[in-house]
Amino acid sequence: MASHSDTLVVFFGATAGANGGKLGSDEREIILLVWQIVDLHEKKVGELHKCYVKPDSLELTDQCKEEIGLTLEDIVKAEPLDKVLQQFQQSVSSEVKCLGRSSYTLCVNSPLVIRQALHPEASKKNLVLPECFFSFVDVRKEFHKCCPNAGPAQKLTLTSMLECVGLPAVSEQMMGVREVMSMVQLTLCILDEPYNHKFSCVETVKYKFDSGTCSKTEPVDSETVIRARGLPWQSSDQDIARFFKGLNIAKGGVALCLNAQGRRNGEALVRFINSEHRDLALERHKHHMGSRYIEVYKATGEEFLKIAGGTSNEVAQFLSKENQVIIRMRGLPFTATPQEVLSFLGPESPVTDGAEGLLFVKYPDGRPTGDAFVLFSCEEYAQNALKKHKQILGKRYIELFRSTAAEVQQVLNRYMSTPLISTLPPSPIVPVPVLATPPFLPAASSTRDCVRLRGLPYTAGIEDILEFMGEHTVDIKPHGVHMVLNQQGRPSGDAFIQMKSSDKAFMVAQKCHKKTMKDRYVEVFQCSTEEMSIVLMGGTLNRSGLSPPPCKLPCLSPPTAYAAFPTPPAILSEAALYQPPLLAAPRPPQTTAHNPAHTLAYYPPQPHLYMNMNMNYTAYYPSPPVSPSTVSYFAAPPGAVAAAVAAQPHPAAAAASPVLPQPGALVRMQGLPYNAGVKDILSFFQGYQLQPDAVLILYNFSGQCSGEALITFPSEEVARRAVAERSNHPFYGQQIHLGFCN
């Protein structure tokens, strides 16, 4: 502690980039260290030391050259940072010993040089910093104790503090030397009469991140939480803590976010010990973790508790063991026993407390999910376990990843909230967005202010797209990047980008078309949000233009023994989003008193049908002004979906049905080829005044054409003429049947 230290080491550092209040915000390396010792008992000053530091990147900004007064020639012959730090420690220890003192504490004018420059750079270069760099005093805060009327400590400058106590400004030209000499003068001043100050407000830097649990009832200050985005998917909480090295994260304050499939989505919520450290964390926006840059935004305490908070006693008991390394196992056979898992891990990676160190993740009815968490007492055992990644247990290969306490809470919360059977009300006719009023769903427009990216690598993420677009990234609308998923919920290789104007979209399409991303060339087409909706419904878009989808509605046509029944639009609950297909039990068939031969019926769609259709996509939003939801699922936009029609045996019932596409006569078309599309049917009925939304192709459970379609003609007279004239005409070489539905 400084109150027990014999000496202060007044310390200053400068980087090759921004300095002053922005020190460390641009990730530039340290190029200058200046220090001087002050004997607290004798109030004497030691020799002033100045050391240049050779950075890995020999490049100085103009601002740095002007402020610091250094040139490349000054630093080319200097020693690297690790050598200079060794010299610093040897010099200070020797001088302190010569003064007959036993301890010392660093004194700085701002925590930035320690927290934002020295610790992050040492972390990236895998340097072990001397112990003295893990505690320090801030001369501004110490001065504020002596002169509280001088203003808030954060706004104090060396010049204003010298003026406050009546000391002249130091006339030294070089910035680092001037700052150190000014701090030394202030220190001697407040040590003397009338202040007689004792340095006691010591700030510390944590040596390591402490994992732990968080209760949902625990209050979390929103001014202490950030959201980090763009993380490598294999990142652990320790990796994230290393990215924020120098800042103190609260115990258990790293929560990795998972997507709807239970996999990490490259985001994490991080909770710091106070708002000052949170604000410093925000300055690391777009700093790099390896080759990836990380986006950092403000978040709320509610968001953190939603991810990290837990209430399960089983989880709390599992995580009650301190200082354990957590590994997640995924893909376990459903019949796997604790003993089989222990045998798989082997004696070289013993699990803490044997079977008690295993936590199997289960559904509410007790069925295993194939996931488990394992505790290891040390890093060596965890590393040995990770070597078993993708090795076989039974007939399945097992994935192993580093995990966190927050991830354990999140996974358990998610699976335990999964409904066994969906309570989704049936909606056989009109599909609506699965999440009502999604916050960032683009409104349909004919303005061509979007671009479609086709042929993306399946591993491509938001950061890759932003890098691919280069200088055009600044022209993307907020929340304007939409990644399209395939039927299995995985990236399809497509993405839609909303630009600020059609001109910006045109420029992107011209300059980025067939540009390479990860050894693959990517096609870029200009489009509108209307065309985007049509493509998401199954249409095609290329440089030759737009082709409509084969059908605008995923209606399902089962055997005619089931009856049609109108229902209100369905809204899928958040819990149902996480429901695996195997859990969605089909509804029992509905009976009807009418003749089934004359009844057209539909299966009510289940949640897994929505999730498996091509029209669903997930929207990820880059550079948000606020923290968005982690993930959202949408069906087709309203207005892009044509209404379905169920044939009724009685005209009164048909008239009451709210699902008729448009007024007119309804004709049923049977015997269609399975690859038939709307364009084919419109061509077949050319000359009968049909509109594209008058054609409705019926699909089966597999998402394939059922061989049937409903066509709405503008009048009964036109319908009768079409049936009479086209009944005997082959449809692409196949005989069809036309008949009236009413």
Side-chain angles (χ1 to χ4, degrees):
M1 298 292 289
S3 57
H4 300 150
S5 293
D6 302 304
T7 54
L8 286 181
V9 178
V10 179
F11 186 80
F12 171 86
T15 70
N19 288 286
K22 286 294 184 180
L23 181 68
S25 62
D26 55 1
E27 292 187 283
R28 302 304 290 266
E29 298 170 272
I30 293 173
I31 59 169
L32 174 67
L33 294 180
V34 185
W35 69 89
Q36 191 171 16
I37 288 181
V38 177
D39 188 326
L40 293 176
H41 295 292
E42 300 294 333
K43 300 181 179 60
K44 294 181 179 179
V45 178
E47 181 183 354
L48 188 141
H49 299 267
K50 177 179 67 177
C51 275
Y52 297 136
V53 184
K54 183 179 180 180
D56 293 341
S57 175
L58 294 174
E59 182 181 351
L60 302 178
T61 63
D62 293 337
Q63 180 185 5
C64 170
K65 293 177 182 178
E66 181 180 349
E67 291 180 350
I68 309 299
L70 291 180
T71 63
L72 279 177
E73 290 74 16
D74 296 325
I75 63 174
V76 165
K77 297 180 181 180
E79 297 285 350
L81 181 62
D82 56 340
K83 300 292 185 183
V84 173
L85 291 178
Q86 288 179 12
Q87 295 175 14
F88 165 83
Q89 190 175 20
Q90 292 171 0
S91 172
V92 171
S93 299
S94 175
E95 195 168 349
V96 168
K97 188 175 181 179
C98 290
L99 291 172
R101 305 305 177 191
S102 59
S103 60
Y104 62 91
T105 302
L106 294 184
C107 177
V108 296
N109 182 42
S110 165
L112 297 181
V113 64
I114 302 294
R115 298 194 183 278
Q116 296 287 71
L118 198 58
H119 276 279
E121 184 175 341
S123 177
K124 289 178 181 177
K125 295 182 177 180
N126 293 315
L127 304 181
V128 178
L129 289 176
E131 188 177 353
C132 62
F133 291 106
F134 288 86
S135 61
F136 61 92
V137 292
D138 188 340
V139 71
R140 298 175 307 168
K141 295 180 180 179
E142 300 293 341
F143 183 85
H144 185 262
K145 289 182 179 180
C146 301
C147 304
N149 296 328
Q154 289 77 11
K155 294 185 178 180
L156 293 176
T157 64
L158 289 173
T159 302
S160 66
M161 288 187 287
L162 288 171
E163 289 178 356
C164 184
V165 295
L167 293 175
V170 178
S171 59
E172 172 63 38
Q173 293 295 319
M174 188 172 187
M175 179 181 179
V177 176
R178 183 174 65 250
E179 295 246 344
V180 169
M181 293 177 65
S182 299
M183 284 190 281
V184 169
Q185 283 197 20
L186 283 170
T187 300
L188 292 174
C189 179
I190 62 179
L191 284 173
D192 209 349
E193 296 288 346
Y195 304 107
N196 295 320
H197 182 66
K198 301 292 183 183
F199 285 80
S200 58
C201 187
V202 178
E203 298 187 43
T204 60
V205 178
K206 284 189 175 182
Y207 287 91
K208 66 174 185 176
F209 166 68
D210 296 323
S211 60
T213 59
C214 177
S215 170
K216 283 190 178 294
T217 59
E218 181 179 340
V220 176
D221 185 0
S222 291
E223 296 300 311
T224 64
V225 183
I226 62 94
R227 179 187 293 271
R229 306 184 64 194
L231 299 164
W233 64 268
Q234 70 272 33
S235 299
S236 68
D237 53 354
Q238 297 294 339
D239 295 324
I240 296 168
R242 185 175 181 180
F243 175 79
F244 290 108
K245 187 67 175 176
L247 308 179
N248 293 345
I249 299 174
K251 183 177 181 180
V254 176
L256 297 167
C257 302
L258 306 180
N259 62 17
Q261 289 76 40
R263 299 174 183 267
R264 297 176 189 174
N265 65 355
E267 296 189 10
L269 293 169
V270 185
R271 177 189 179 192
F272 295 90
I273 61 170
N274 57 39
S275 59
E276 181 181 350
H277 287 237
R278 192 283 305 267
D279 292 341
L280 293 179
L282 292 172
E283 292 294 325
R284 300 196 187 182
H285 179 59
K286 293 197 173 181
H287 282 204
H288 287 77
M289 180 185 288
S291 60
R292 300 171 67 98
Y293 72 83
I294 309 301
E295 299 175 81
V296 183
Y297 306 104
K298 291 181 180 180
T300 65
E302 290 77 9
E303 289 177 298
F304 182 83
L305 286 176
K306 184 177 180 181
I307 300 298
T311 56
S312 169
N313 292 331
E314 184 182 14
V315 175
Q317 183 177 358
F318 176 76
L319 297 174
S320 62
K321 302 177 179 64
E322 295 278 336
N323 301 318
Q324 298 289 309
V325 183
I326 306 174
I327 297 295
R328 180 180 180 183
M329 302 181 71
R330 197 166 61 197
L332 290 168
F334 296 140
T335 57
T337 64
Q339 191 56 47
E340 289 175 334
V341 174
L342 294 174
S343 299
F344 171 79
L345 295 170
E348 64 276 10
S349 48
V351 177
T352 301
D353 296 335
E356 293 184 7
L358 296 174
L359 178 63
F360 288 90
V361 184
K362 299 179 180 179
Y363 291 112
D365 62 351
R367 289 181 297 110
T369 64
D371 279 28
F373 293 94
V374 190
L375 294 179
F376 295 98
S377 59
C378 66
E379 185 66 29
E380 180 185 356
Y381 295 160
Q383 286 287 355
N384 292 338
L386 290 172
K387 294 176 183 177
K388 303 292 182 83
H389 180 59
K390 292 199 173 181
Q391 290 190 15
I392 303 298
L393 174 58
K395 294 183 179 180
R396 304 191 63 176
Y397 72 85
I398 311 301
E399 298 174 297
L400 290 95
F401 310 99
R402 290 182 177 275
S403 188
T404 67
E407 185 174 21
V408 176
Q409 298 275 25
Q410 195 178 171
V411 171
L412 265 293
N413 290 345
R414 175 161 297 176
Y415 278 111
M416 291 306 294
S417 65
T418 301
L420 295 179
I421 298 178
S422 171
T423 56
L424 180 71
S427 175
I429 305 300
V430 184
V432 298
V434 173
L435 293 184
T437 61
F440 304 118
L441 187 64
S445 168
S446 59
T447 304
R448 294 173 63 82
D449 56 355
C450 301
V451 291
R452 178 190 184 187
L453 273 58
R454 189 170 72 180
L456 294 168
Y458 296 129
T459 58
I462 294 295
E463 295 75 20
D464 301 306
I465 292 177
L466 298 181
E467 183 179 353
F468 171 81
M469 295 185 66
E471 61 185 7
H472 304 289
T473 301
V474 297
D475 299 321
I476 300 176
K477 286 185 179 180
H479 324 295
V481 177
H482 305 273
M483 303 287 288
V484 182
L485 303 185
N486 62 16
Q487 295 180 6
Q488 289 74 38
R490 297 175 181 172
S492 65
D494 277 25
F496 286 94
I497 318 291
Q498 290 178 271
M499 308 302 293
K500 292 180 180 178
S501 68
S502 56
D503 292 338
K504 303 294 185 184
F506 175 79
M507 291 300 295
V508 173
Q510 291 297 312
K511 293 190 176 182
C512 295
H513 183 58
K514 292 197 174 182
K515 185 179 171 183
T516 301
M517 180 190 296
K518 295 184 178 180
D519 299 326
R520 294 190 62 175
Y521 75 83
V522 179
E523 298 175 292
V524 183
F525 311 125
Q526 185 181 7
C527 66
S528 66
T529 49
E530 281 183 349
E531 293 170 330
M532 182 199 314
S533 300
I534 293 175
V535 170
L536 293 171
M537 290 290 291
T540 58
L541 172 68
N542 51 38
R543 268 175 140 62
S544 301
L546 178 73
S547 298
C551 175
K552 291 189 177 183
L553 181 69
C555 276
L556 308 172
S557 178
T560 54
Y562 299 94
F565 43 93
T567 57
I571 297 178
L572 188 61
S573 67
E574 181 181 359
L577 285 176
Y578 308 128
Q579 180 170 352
L582 58 93
L583 291 181
R587 293 182 181 277
Q590 304 292 320
T591 59
T592 177
H594 304 302
N595 183 357
H598 300 287
T599 305
L600 179 65
Y602 303 90
Y603 282 117
Q606 300 291 339
H608 68 282
L609 298 181
Y610 278 102
M611 301 297 289
N612 287 338
M613 297 305 292
N614 275 325
M615 59 189 285
N616 289 306
Y617 67 100
T618 304
Y620 300 83
Y621 308 108
S623 307
V626 295
S627 297
S629 302
T630 301
V631 68
S632 300
Y633 280 85
F634 309 104
V641 182
V645 178
Q648 304 290 345
H650 301 292
S657 176
V659 298
L660 205 61
Q662 60 186 46
L666 191 65
V667 171
R668 182 176 184 179
M669 191 175 185
Q670 296 176 300
L672 291 170
Y674 293 120
N675 59 351
V678 174
K679 287 178 65 176
D680 302 320
I681 296 176
L682 291 174
S683 298
F684 183 75
F685 287 106
Q686 189 174 4
Y688 293 95
Q689 305 172 12
L690 290 183
Q691 299 297 322
D693 59 352
V695 178
L696 177 62
I697 299 178
L698 306 183
Y699 281 66
N700 59 23
F701 266 109
S702 302
Q704 298 175 327
C705 175
S706 65
E708 298 183 353
L710 300 178
I711 299 96
T712 305
F713 288 87
S715 66
E716 185 175 346
E717 179 182 355
V718 175
R720 291 188 181 279
R721 181 163 59 89
V723 170
E725 294 175 355
R726 308 301 295 178
S727 287
N728 297 324
H729 282 246
F731 186 92
Y732 287 91
Q734 192 163 321
Q735 190 65 37
I736 61 163
H737 173 72
L738 297 174
F740 286 94
C741 292
N742 52 10

